[in-house]
Amino acid sequence: MRLLNRLNQYQRLWQPSTGACQSVTIAELAARCFCSERHMRTLLRQAQEAGWLNWQAQSGRGKRGVLTFLVSPAALRNQMMELALHKGQQHAALELAQLAPVELRALLNPFLGGQWHNDTPTLRIPYYRPLEPLHPGFLPGRAEQHLAGQIFSGLTRFMPDSPLPQGDLAHHWTVSQDGLRWQFSIRSTLWWHNGDAVATEQLQARLLMLLTQPALRRLFASVKHIEVTHARSLTFILHRPDYWLAHRLASYCSVLAHPEHPAIGTGPFCLKIFEPDLVRLENHDRYHLTHPLLKAIEYWITPQLFEQNLGTSCRHPVQIAIGEPQELGQLRLVSNSISLGFCYLALRQSERLSEAQARQVIDLIHATSLLQTLPLDDDLITPSEELLPGWAIPPGSAQLTTPLPPTLTLLYHLPVELHTMAEQLKTALAEQGCELTLIFFDAKTWEGCGDLANADLIMGDRLIGESAEYTLEQWLRCDALWPALLSASQFARLQRTLDDAQQHQDDPARGAALQSVFNTLMERAILTPLFNYQYRISAPPGVNGIRLNARGWFDFSAAWLPVAGS
């Protein structure tokens, strides 16, 4: 703030003549800067010593001196910001970043991406929006979900290339023959980010706190109670077998914070700064698994860099650019994939919309070029042909002969591509004689949406985590969409089907049972996927170990930078 004040004071001196020499008294200058004459003389001396201006005073009270400016406020601001960046003073730099986007990008270029700073390997990521608080439980954004997994640990975790959960805070676990007793053996050397040892009772306390949340209570509906059966043993007693339990505990929504300090975890990185313009993580020296090679991760919240007319490579939230070098051509694509997650259309069948009419809407989308001709950036989306790999969309008909209702209502939420999709669908239905009313819910989830229970068509985004099949089971259990979309009897029947499926001890059998549920939803024209995103990460040379995960991010623990000068 001190730098920003000095800059503002300099601008007040500069402004009346826009940089031309001024004949002025100390009293007049003090009035501009809202300070005493004595303090004004100090400011002038300091500015002159810094080489910003030249002040030639005249002897005698009230005499006019000559003020000559040697640097413009814009140039001074750039100097201050560069100095702050070199010193690692992130807040000071961001306070000074009240610039036009092009200037801001030019100033940040050398400091984004990967850099050794004071012998500390640091990765800085420009980001397009402020991050939401990392409260325990379900989080709406991909970035927040990813951060939760970097800061906190669960009893179990997912590893790359495996849909099956592995041990995390728990070294291993055993399951009783009847599937009703799950005993997790807790590692003996676990430490919270504040340096305290982890007690098994603390993990139990945080789990019980999670289960007070309605959505988490639905997710763990089979859990009867949780016991500390030994100093290093946590045991789950179930009402009925649930062979998704280890998956549920590995989900980001089940990671465990300190029961008294919700920002403190046991993950590879601890949270040091969480503010609207800067989020900083630092590695956890006593992390119990593979130790991170990076010392710090910083999110610089710089929406200015995402202005479309700048030509930056940060075009979209699913296409992340780490760093912003002098030449955009230096950025290299280090990882890309088609997301397993998808934007979807759900259809409420009622007296207003029959199953045949719902199927007609789906056929209109998939059997025509509607998705292929969406006016979106190249390579941003891919029209869906299956729900998950191997879960094909039922074949439709190109014969659009079923009359549609005269009016329908479409409700949709973020991401922004659904704005375009909604308008395209409105035009397509109008050609079929159906007037579509659009309602936008400005959120990433359906929580708190009063229009959800009445809309005929619903469009949203379904994020898919590391275990795709399990993530879809969690969606059916916990999302506000389903009890609002289905009748009470349909929703109760769906939950009973899920309860039956979770009791299959064999993973393929459990997955097949879940696939059958979604095949029925698609065949009955209740649900259809629309398109998947193209996830991309680009980085400047020297940032290594980056590999896309299921959420379009990358494991910060695996990223590394070569030693400076190597």
Side-chain angles (χ1 to χ4, degrees), residues 64-117:
R64 292 184 175 274
V66 178
L67 182 61
T68 304
F69 297 94
L70 305 178
V71 62
S72 70
L76 178 58
R77 179 171 47 198
N78 292 359
Q79 292 176 16
M80 287 179 168
M81 187 172 180
E82 186 172 355
L83 180 62
L85 287 166
H86 277 298
K87 290 183 176 180
Q89 298 171 347
Q90 300 95 334
H91 285 295
L94 287 165
E95 285 173 350
L96 290 164
Q98 310 300 316
L99 310 171
V102 174
E103 294 174 279
L104 175 60
R105 184 179 60 183
L107 284 172
L108 292 181
N109 279 343
F111 303 98
L112 296 174
Q115 184 182 75
W116 281 75
H117 177 72

XYZ file of all heavy atoms in Angstrom, residues 64-117:
419
model
N 7.686 30.966 -4.961
C 7.423 29.868 -5.896
C 8.729 29.193 -6.311
O 9.693 29.861 -6.671
C 6.697 30.359 -7.139
C 5.272 30.808 -6.843
C 4.524 31.195 -8.102
N 3.140 31.491 -7.768
C 2.170 30.580 -7.690
N 2.475 29.328 -7.974
N 0.940 30.915 -7.378
N 8.729 27.862 -6.246
C 9.849 27.087 -6.743
C 9.534 26.516 -8.111
O 8.429 26.684 -8.639
N 10.505 25.791 -8.687
C 10.329 25.179 -10.005
C 10.354 23.659 -9.845
O 11.323 23.094 -9.327
C 11.428 25.628 -10.989
C 11.247 24.928 -12.339
C 11.398 27.138 -11.152
N 9.287 23.030 -10.282
C 9.146 21.573 -10.196
C 9.285 20.994 -11.596
O 8.482 21.291 -12.485
C 7.791 21.201 -9.584
C 7.511 19.714 -9.370
C 8.529 19.096 -8.405
C 6.091 19.518 -8.829
N 10.318 20.151 -11.787
C 10.573 19.525 -13.085
C 10.425 18.014 -12.935
O 11.027 17.400 -12.042
C 11.990 19.846 -13.586
O 12.166 21.261 -13.623
C 12.216 19.259 -14.973
N 9.630 17.410 -13.806
C 9.378 15.969 -13.733
C 10.351 15.226 -14.642
O 10.556 15.602 -15.801
C 7.937 15.662 -14.127
C 6.921 16.274 -13.198
C 6.351 17.521 -13.475
C 6.562 15.629 -12.026
C 5.434 18.090 -12.610
C 5.651 16.198 -11.153
C 5.078 17.429 -11.447
N 10.934 14.141 -14.137
C 11.916 13.361 -14.879
C 11.376 12.016 -15.348
O 12.032 11.333 -16.138
C 13.159 13.129 -14.010
C 13.811 14.394 -13.436
C 14.996 14.020 -12.564
C 14.225 15.346 -14.563
N 10.211 11.612 -14.866
C 9.626 10.323 -15.244
C 8.114 10.451 -15.193
O 7.568 11.187 -14.366
C 10.131 9.195 -14.298
C 9.707 9.454 -12.871
C 9.637 7.826 -14.752
N 7.415 9.783 -16.096
C 5.948 9.835 -16.116
C 5.379 8.902 -15.054
O 6.044 7.942 -14.637
C 5.419 9.412 -17.488
O 5.627 8.023 -17.693
N 4.128 9.141 -14.598
C 3.520 8.214 -13.628
C 3.439 6.787 -14.153
O 3.633 5.840 -13.394
C 2.124 8.816 -13.404
C 2.289 10.272 -13.696
C 3.281 10.329 -14.818
N 3.159 6.618 -15.463
C 3.072 5.264 -16.026
C 4.415 4.558 -15.934
O 4.498 3.381 -15.551
C 2.593 5.324 -17.471
N 5.503 5.266 -16.305
C 6.828 4.656 -16.228
C 7.215 4.367 -14.779
O 7.822 3.330 -14.476
C 7.855 5.561 -16.885
N 6.854 5.278 -13.874
C 7.149 5.065 -12.466
C 6.400 3.852 -11.924
O 6.945 3.048 -11.168
C 6.786 6.318 -11.673
C 6.990 6.234 -10.157
C 8.440 5.891 -9.820
C 6.569 7.541 -9.491
N 5.149 3.739 -12.324
C 4.342 2.594 -11.894
C 4.993 1.288 -12.358
O 5.081 0.309 -11.607
C 2.931 2.738 -12.464
C 1.980 1.605 -12.132
C 0.571 1.971 -12.560
N 0.555 2.509 -13.921
C -0.451 3.224 -14.425
N -1.494 3.504 -13.668
N -0.415 3.657 -15.667
N 5.475 1.253 -13.594
C 6.122 0.058 -14.108
C 7.389 -0.263 -13.324
O 7.669 -1.424 -13.007
C 6.461 0.241 -15.588
C 5.212 0.314 -16.451
O 4.099 0.216 -15.938
N 5.392 0.497 -17.742
N 8.169 0.771 -12.998
C 9.384 0.556 -12.218
C 9.057 -0.033 -10.847
O 9.707 -0.963 -10.374
C 10.137 1.877 -12.049
C 10.751 2.445 -13.314
C 11.389 3.808 -13.066
O 11.636 4.197 -11.922
N 11.655 4.542 -14.139
N 8.034 0.548 -10.209
C 7.648 0.075 -8.881
C 7.186 -1.375 -8.917
O 7.531 -2.192 -8.052
C 6.527 0.954 -8.316
C 6.951 2.339 -7.879
S 5.507 3.260 -7.256
C 6.320 4.662 -6.482
N 6.378 -1.699 -9.942
C 5.844 -3.047 -10.032
C 6.963 -4.057 -10.301
O 6.999 -5.146 -9.695
C 4.788 -3.120 -11.131
C 4.071 -4.456 -11.181
S 2.693 -4.417 -12.327
C 2.103 -6.089 -12.137
N 7.891 -3.693 -11.174
C 9.002 -4.601 -11.475
C 9.846 -4.841 -10.230
O 10.263 -5.966 -9.947
C 9.855 -4.025 -12.607
C 10.940 -4.974 -13.080
C 11.630 -4.470 -14.323
O 11.202 -3.438 -14.875
O 12.610 -5.114 -14.737
N 10.107 -3.777 -9.462
C 10.872 -3.920 -8.239
C 10.148 -4.823 -7.241
O 10.761 -5.693 -6.604
C 11.116 -2.533 -7.625
C 11.918 -2.509 -6.319
C 13.320 -3.061 -6.535
C 11.980 -1.080 -5.762
N 8.831 -4.636 -7.111
C 8.057 -5.467 -6.183
C 8.091 -6.931 -6.603
O 8.221 -7.834 -5.765
C 6.616 -4.958 -6.109
N 7.980 -7.189 -7.908
C 8.020 -8.562 -8.390
C 9.375 -9.204 -8.118
O 9.456 -10.365 -7.705
C 7.701 -8.587 -9.889
C 6.241 -8.327 -10.260
C 6.112 -8.030 -11.744
C 5.373 -9.515 -9.881
N 10.447 -8.470 -8.358
C 11.778 -9.006 -8.104
C 11.974 -9.319 -6.629
O 12.677 -10.266 -6.272
C 12.849 -8.022 -8.577
C 13.155 -8.126 -10.039
N 13.663 -9.284 -10.621
C 13.023 -7.223 -11.048
C 13.836 -9.089 -11.906
N 13.446 -7.855 -12.206
N 11.381 -8.531 -5.752
C 11.519 -8.751 -4.313
C 10.544 -9.799 -3.784
O 10.559 -10.119 -2.599
C 11.299 -7.430 -3.559
C 12.418 -6.414 -3.765
C 12.164 -5.156 -2.928
C 13.328 -4.177 -3.041
N 13.093 -2.947 -2.237
N 9.668 -10.320 -4.653
C 8.679 -11.295 -4.208
C 7.546 -10.690 -3.411
O 6.879 -11.397 -2.646
N 7.315 -9.396 -3.587
C 6.242 -8.710 -2.846
C 4.967 -8.753 -3.696
O 4.607 -7.808 -4.388
C 6.659 -7.267 -2.545
C 7.896 -7.174 -1.657
C 8.428 -5.750 -1.536
O 8.047 -4.853 -2.287
N 9.320 -5.544 -0.587
N 4.260 -9.922 -3.635
C 3.134 -10.137 -4.545
C 2.018 -9.128 -4.341
O 1.433 -8.623 -5.305
C 2.583 -11.567 -4.348
C 3.592 -12.660 -4.610
C 4.284 -13.129 -3.342
O 4.391 -12.381 -2.367
N 4.758 -14.361 -3.341
N 1.707 -8.824 -3.087
C 0.592 -7.910 -2.831
C 0.891 -6.513 -3.349
O 0.024 -5.852 -3.941
C 0.262 -7.868 -1.339
C -0.467 -9.063 -0.850
N -1.734 -9.392 -1.275
C -0.103 -10.039 0.012
C -2.131 -10.498 -0.689
N -1.156 -10.921 0.098
N 2.117 -6.066 -3.140
C 2.477 -4.743 -3.636
C 2.377 -4.693 -5.155
O 1.887 -3.717 -5.730
C 3.892 -4.384 -3.180
N 2.822 -5.765 -5.816
C 2.761 -5.797 -7.277
C 1.322 -5.776 -7.764
O 0.976 -5.064 -8.720
C 3.484 -7.038 -7.794
N 0.457 -6.542 -7.112
C -0.927 -6.599 -7.553
C -1.668 -5.300 -7.252
O -2.579 -4.919 -7.987
C -1.629 -7.789 -6.891
C -1.197 -9.149 -7.457
C -1.625 -10.276 -6.543
C -1.756 -9.360 -8.851
N -1.297 -4.620 -6.183
C -1.910 -3.316 -5.898
C -1.553 -2.293 -6.968
O -2.340 -1.413 -7.299
C -1.450 -2.813 -4.523
C -2.109 -3.527 -3.361
C -1.509 -3.128 -2.035
O -0.466 -2.438 -2.047
O -2.061 -3.513 -0.993
N -0.337 -2.435 -7.520
C 0.099 -1.512 -8.561
C -0.422 -1.897 -9.946
O -0.255 -1.132 -10.896
C 1.629 -1.478 -8.604
C 2.308 -0.806 -7.407
C 3.781 -1.173 -7.360
C 2.134 0.707 -7.464
N -1.039 -3.057 -10.048
C -1.434 -3.572 -11.362
C -2.767 -2.989 -11.827
O -3.565 -3.675 -12.446
C -1.526 -5.096 -11.321
N -3.031 -1.735 -11.518
C -4.233 -1.062 -12.004
C -3.918 -0.480 -13.380
O -3.898 0.727 -13.585
C -4.664 0.032 -11.031
C -4.760 -0.431 -9.600
C -5.753 -1.553 -9.436
O -6.841 -1.500 -9.995
N -5.392 -2.575 -8.681
N -3.612 -1.364 -14.309
C -3.125 -0.957 -15.622
C -4.057 -1.439 -16.708
O -4.920 -2.283 -16.492
C -1.734 -1.564 -15.877
C -0.679 -1.381 -14.790
C 0.533 -2.226 -15.125
C -0.292 0.067 -14.686
N -3.832 -0.936 -17.915
C -4.505 -1.506 -19.077
C -3.998 -2.934 -19.252
O -2.850 -3.241 -18.930
C -4.201 -0.676 -20.324
N -4.834 -3.848 -19.766
C -4.439 -5.249 -19.860
C -3.129 -5.483 -20.605
O -2.317 -6.293 -20.187
C -5.621 -5.892 -20.588
C -6.789 -5.031 -20.249
C -6.232 -3.636 -20.165
N -2.905 -4.775 -21.687
C -1.684 -5.006 -22.450
C -0.455 -4.659 -21.613
O 0.541 -5.387 -21.592
C -1.701 -4.188 -23.758
C -0.365 -4.315 -24.486
C -2.833 -4.672 -24.668
N -0.517 -3.527 -20.883
C 0.608 -3.141 -20.037
C 0.825 -4.148 -18.919
O 1.946 -4.516 -18.592
C 0.359 -1.757 -19.444
C 0.332 -0.632 -20.467
C -0.072 0.673 -19.818
O -1.293 0.870 -19.622
O 0.814 1.466 -19.495
N -0.293 -4.595 -18.332
C -0.195 -5.564 -17.251
C 0.462 -6.844 -17.738
O 1.353 -7.389 -17.104
C -1.591 -5.869 -16.703
C -1.667 -6.979 -15.639
C -0.840 -6.614 -14.430
C -3.107 -7.231 -15.265
N 0.038 -7.320 -18.902
C 0.612 -8.550 -19.435
C 2.099 -8.380 -19.685
O 2.911 -9.248 -19.354
C -0.094 -8.954 -20.735
C 0.397 -10.279 -21.289
C -0.329 -10.653 -22.552
N -0.142 -9.643 -23.572
C -0.720 -9.711 -24.767
N -1.528 -10.690 -25.056
N -0.496 -8.770 -25.667
N 2.502 -7.265 -20.256
C 3.910 -7.035 -20.542
C 4.735 -7.014 -19.254
O 5.849 -7.536 -19.204
C 4.078 -5.728 -21.310
N 4.200 -6.416 -18.198
C 4.934 -6.336 -16.946
C 5.043 -7.687 -16.245
O 6.046 -7.989 -15.602
C 4.264 -5.333 -16.006
C 4.506 -3.856 -16.340
C 3.638 -2.985 -15.459
C 5.967 -3.504 -16.148
N 3.993 -8.511 -16.356
C 4.002 -9.788 -15.658
C 4.767 -10.866 -16.407
O 5.103 -11.899 -15.830
C 2.560 -10.269 -15.416
C 1.723 -9.471 -14.429
C 0.349 -10.104 -14.287
C 2.387 -9.381 -13.072
N 5.043 -10.652 -17.692
C 5.641 -11.702 -18.513
C 6.779 -12.456 -17.839
O 6.770 -13.677 -17.796
C 6.138 -11.128 -19.848
C 5.019 -10.966 -20.847
O 3.961 -11.545 -20.690
N 5.247 -10.173 -21.867
N 7.798 -11.775 -17.328
C 8.934 -12.531 -16.800
C 8.652 -13.235 -15.476
O 9.484 -13.997 -15.015
C 10.007 -11.438 -16.589
C 9.514 -10.236 -17.308
C 8.025 -10.332 -17.284
N 7.497 -12.971 -14.876
C 7.276 -13.449 -13.518
C 6.201 -14.529 -13.427
O 6.018 -15.119 -12.380
C 6.906 -12.269 -12.615
C 7.950 -11.196 -12.642
C 7.794 -10.089 -13.455
C 9.092 -11.315 -11.894
C 8.758 -9.107 -13.499
C 10.067 -10.340 -11.929
C 9.913 -9.233 -12.739
N 5.487 -14.774 -14.510
C 4.530 -15.871 -14.525
C 5.230 -17.117 -15.045
O 6.316 -17.063 -15.601
C 3.320 -15.509 -15.383
C 2.499 -14.338 -14.842
C 1.412 -13.956 -15.823
C 1.882 -14.677 -13.495
N 4.584 -18.262 -14.891
C 5.231 -19.500 -15.277
C 6.139 -19.973 -14.159
O 5.922 -19.723 -12.978
N 7.212 -20.685 -14.519
C 8.107 -21.236 -13.517
C 9.352 -20.394 -13.357
O 9.919 -19.900 -14.325
N 9.796 -20.231 -12.106
C 10.970 -19.410 -11.850
C 11.550 -19.790 -10.493
O 10.820 -20.053 -9.541
C 10.576 -17.924 -11.851
C 11.757 -16.972 -11.690
C 11.256 -15.534 -11.650
O 10.709 -15.089 -10.657
N 11.445 -14.811 -12.734
N 12.895 -19.853 -10.440
C 13.557 -19.961 -9.145
C 13.701 -18.556 -8.578
O 14.314 -17.695 -9.201
C 14.933 -20.614 -9.302
C 14.861 -22.083 -9.444
C 14.466 -22.783 -10.539
C 15.190 -23.049 -8.440
N 14.508 -24.130 -10.296
C 14.957 -24.328 -9.006
C 15.641 -22.963 -7.132
C 15.176 -25.500 -8.300
C 15.861 -24.144 -6.428
C 15.634 -25.387 -6.995
N 13.102 -18.322 -7.425
C 13.171 -16.996 -6.793
C 13.777 -17.164 -5.414
O 13.219 -17.871 -4.557
C 11.779 -16.377 -6.689
C 11.774 -15.050 -5.998
N 12.273 -13.917 -6.575
C 11.384 -14.706 -4.749
C 12.171 -12.917 -5.727
N 11.634 -13.371 -4.605
